[in-house]
Amino acid sequence: DTYFSGKIFAKMGRIIEINKELQNLQSGGEKLSYADADDVVVKESASAAAEVTIPSEEDVEPLLDELQHAVEVFLNSGGKENGGAEAEFIYDATWGGFINCGCKYTFDPKDEHNGTCSNTFPDCPALDSVNENFGNGWYNDHHFHYGYHIYAAAIVAKHRPEWGRKYYERVLLYIRDIANPSAEDEYFPMFRQKDWYLGNSWAAGLMSMELSPHGREQESSSEAIAAFEGIALFGDVMMDVFAEDKDKLESSRRVRNLGEFLTAMEVSAANRFWHVWGSKSDEDGSTSVSSSNNGATKHKAHINTYPRDYPKHVVGMMYDTMASFQTWFGPQDVLSYGIQLIPLTSVAERRDDPEWVNILYPIYAKSCKEANEGSNGLCEDNGWSILQAGLLAETGEIKEALEFALDVPDDVYLTDGGCGNSLSNTLWFISTRRQSPSMSER
């Protein structure tokens, strides 16, 4: 399917980028100045990197080869015989969209991972059933799926500019499908996912998988944010690739600006509708002091959108007419919390308010324990404990978070809940959070 494949591609891309950053730290070379990090911390990191063996450019090439092939397979037309995917993308002229045909997966029960699609276009199961590929053929979750693919494409284009030039217009098909800004584009509607009044996106397409009577809905605010983060990063990369091409440079700049604008809107909406808390304000009730990755900051108090009768600190699924603490794939509390925290990328610094994080962490830890005890190890065995480590780091407890992450079994990163994460990315995310004052004094 296009969802889990995209998560794996983006995971591969982040590993490549983390290694590149460590290489730079080790060499003391390119771009060692960070706008959002203390110079002393950067020097300590460079010193630590110099003492370990880091994969070389040659070591990384095979992974980059695999990532390039994986990304372009979905962008090549004509199916497997022409270098494309067995489950290929098609253009839907009725609704103006980029949708996937879907796959009738056939396999030997003794070797289920080496199966094949028994169908080819125009036999498209994703068009026949809203339950195939998370409803992709019915326009459900497009930004969740395509955001991961766009992010992965940005990584390939950054390291292989010629590939970026060749596939630029094809990657734009993903972007035009979920965030087309142009009224002059005759093939795609403008901003398919966006609700301009509320500021958030909607994941539901023509028909929701659960056939809800409550209208449009969106579950994972964080994956919506990540989708637009991917657009911004792709545009930024392509500005470098097209530095000598005036027209394409301007096109790439618009892509970057579009992604940044939509990311900012989505972060704001997440903190209004999905992240639920009220600030502890000062005497006049107008401001709150909290810690952030740049130190203590004074800002307006956060006003809880929901009445006191709603006691939870996230909304699992928001609909047109209902806010619900649940997910479509399970009732456990940890799922509603965790689905608002994936994936662990840089934008989490803007996404997760420090005040909300400190309220949420003990609740998340409790819900993870309850899911492990009451649902046969659900939290750890399905990857949701990885997010607990990331959330703990966001509270500033870096050492404890590293210890927690290193105790997560390796096979958890292969599960449905964990496959979008890697140990490398988890450790990078934890290590780049600002430690709490109490820890810095230890």
Side-chain angles (χ1 to χ4, degrees):
D1 61 61
T2 53
Y3 177 64
F4 287 111
S5 60
K7 293 179 74 167
I8 293 169
F9 300 167
K11 169 172 70 174
M12 293 167 66
R14 284 196 292 279
I15 291 172
I16 291 169
E17 280 303 285
I18 291 165
N19 190 70
K20 181 64 176 177
E21 182 174 37
L22 293 175
Q23 287 177 342
N24 290 338
L25 286 166
Q26 189 178 65
S27 66
E30 133 187 38
K31 297 183 180 177
L32 277 189
S33 60
Y34 291 80
D36 57 351
D38 186 279
D39 288 342
V40 173
V41 174
V42 174
K43 289 179 181 178
E44 290 176 350
S45 299
S47 176
E51 297 177 3
V52 297
T53 301
I54 296 171
S56 66
E57 296 284 356
E58 291 74 22
D59 294 329
V60 174
E61 279 298 301
L63 181 59
L64 193 52
D65 287 340
E66 287 189 33
L67 181 60
Q68 175 182 319
H69 174 70
V71 173
E72 68 185 37
V73 154
F74 279 101
L75 296 172
N76 290 333
S77 60
K80 187 176 182 180
E81 293 182 358
N82 295 290
E86 288 186 272
E88 61 183 302
F89 274 97
I90 57 177
Y91 176 75
D92 170 30
T94 302
W95 294 98
F98 196 44
I99 57 177
N100 193 268
C101 180
C103 175
K104 295 178 180 177
Y105 192 64
T106 304
F107 60 92
D108 184 334
K110 297 179 182 179
D111 190 16
E112 63 181 41
H113 297 297
N114 287 314
T116 186
C117 297
S118 61
N119 63 294
T120 56
F121 178 79
D123 179 12
C124 294
L127 304 187
D128 294 332
S129 172
V130 72
N131 293 306
E132 290 287 336
N133 194 16
F134 299 94
N136 178 275
W138 299 65
Y139 293 92
N140 291 339
D141 297 355
H142 274 206
H143 56 329
F144 296 163
H145 295 215
Y146 300 169
Y148 288 116
H149 288 257
I150 295 165
Y151 183 100
I155 302 299
V156 178
K158 178 180 179 180
H159 292 270
R160 295 181 173 174
E162 284 303 319
W163 184 91
R165 292 186 186 95
K166 178 179 178 180
Y167 280 88
Y168 178 64
E169 296 294 339
R170 295 189 221 183
V171 176
L172 285 186
L173 291 172
Y174 289 130
I175 297 172
R176 290 164 68 192
D177 181 87
I178 64 174
N180 171 39
S182 175
E184 297 177 1
D185 190 332
E186 60 184 293
Y187 296 102
F188 295 90
M190 291 180 67
F191 299 107
R192 188 189 307 276
Q193 314 292 146
K194 179 60 69 174
D195 185 319
W196 290 101
Y197 180 75
L198 296 177
N200 59 276
S201 296
W202 294 112
L206 303 178
M207 181 186 297
S208 64
M209 292 175 66
E210 72 272 24
L211 302 178
S212 169
H214 298 288
R216 298 167 295 175
E217 58 82 21
Q218 178 164 273
E219 189 173 58
S220 179
S221 60
S222 53
E223 287 184 297
I225 292 167
F228 301 130
E229 177 192 25
I231 292 175
L233 292 173
F234 181 71
D236 190 61
V237 165
M238 296 311 298
M239 285 178 65
D240 290 337
V241 172
F242 289 129
E244 305 301 321
D245 184 327
K246 183 178 179 181
D247 291 339
K248 288 292 178 67
L249 174 61
E250 181 58 27
S251 170
S252 301
R253 180 179 290 108
R254 291 179 178 180
V255 171
R256 182 202 63 184
N257 293 350
L258 171 71
E260 290 180 348
F261 175 58
L262 294 177
T263 300
M265 286 191 69
E266 206 73 26
V267 166
S268 177
N271 279 295
R272 177 170 294 178
F273 298 117
W274 279 266
H275 300 180
V276 184
W277 86 101
S279 290
K280 294 179 180 178
S281 59
D282 59 14
E283 291 183 2
D284 66 7
S286 63
T287 60
S288 175
V289 177
S290 65
S291 61
S292 71
N293 279 4
N294 293 314
T297 57
K298 196 171 186 179
H299 56 76
K300 290 184 178 180
H302 181 80
I303 300 173
N304 192 344
T305 301
Y306 299 97
R308 292 181 181 178
D309 292 340
Y310 188 85
K312 302 296 186 178
H313 288 287
V314 302
V315 166
M317 300 180 73
M318 191 176 88
Y319 297 79
D320 270 326
T321 61
M322 180 176 71
S324 174
F325 186 73
Q326 66 178 56
T327 68
W328 71 268
F329 58 93
Q332 293 82 1
D333 287 7
V334 72
L335 302 180
S336 287
Y337 294 131
I339 202 66
Q340 310 308 329
L341 299 170
I342 59 172
L344 297 176
T345 66
S346 300
V347 78
E349 281 187 18
R350 299 293 182 90
R351 181 191 73 199
D352 301 340
D353 186 283
E355 197 171 30
W356 176 70
V357 163
N358 280 282
I359 293 169
L360 184 63
Y361 177 74
I363 300 168
Y364 191 102
K366 180 182 178 183
S367 70
C368 185
K369 182 179 180 181
E370 290 174 346
N372 284 333
E373 294 174 349
S375 301
N376 299 314
L378 174 75
C379 184
E380 180 170 294
D381 293 348
N382 285 275
W384 301 101
S385 59
I386 299 168
L387 301 172
Q388 183 177 335
L391 191 63
L392 178 57
E394 289 188 297
T395 71
E397 301 300 328
I398 308 302
K399 181 181 178 181
E400 290 83 352
L402 287 171
E403 292 173 350
F404 189 99
L406 290 169
D407 283 340
V408 174
D410 290 345
D411 58 2
V412 168
Y413 290 98
L414 304 177
T415 63
D416 286 353
C419 69
N421 295 293
S422 66
L423 180 57
S424 296
N425 185 67
T426 305
L427 297 179
W428 169 86
F429 183 83
I430 292 170
S431 301
T432 53
R433 302 309 92 195
R434 182 174 288 275
Q435 64 188 20
S436 65
S438 59
M439 179 180 169
S440 63
E441 294 167 1
R442 294 173 191 172

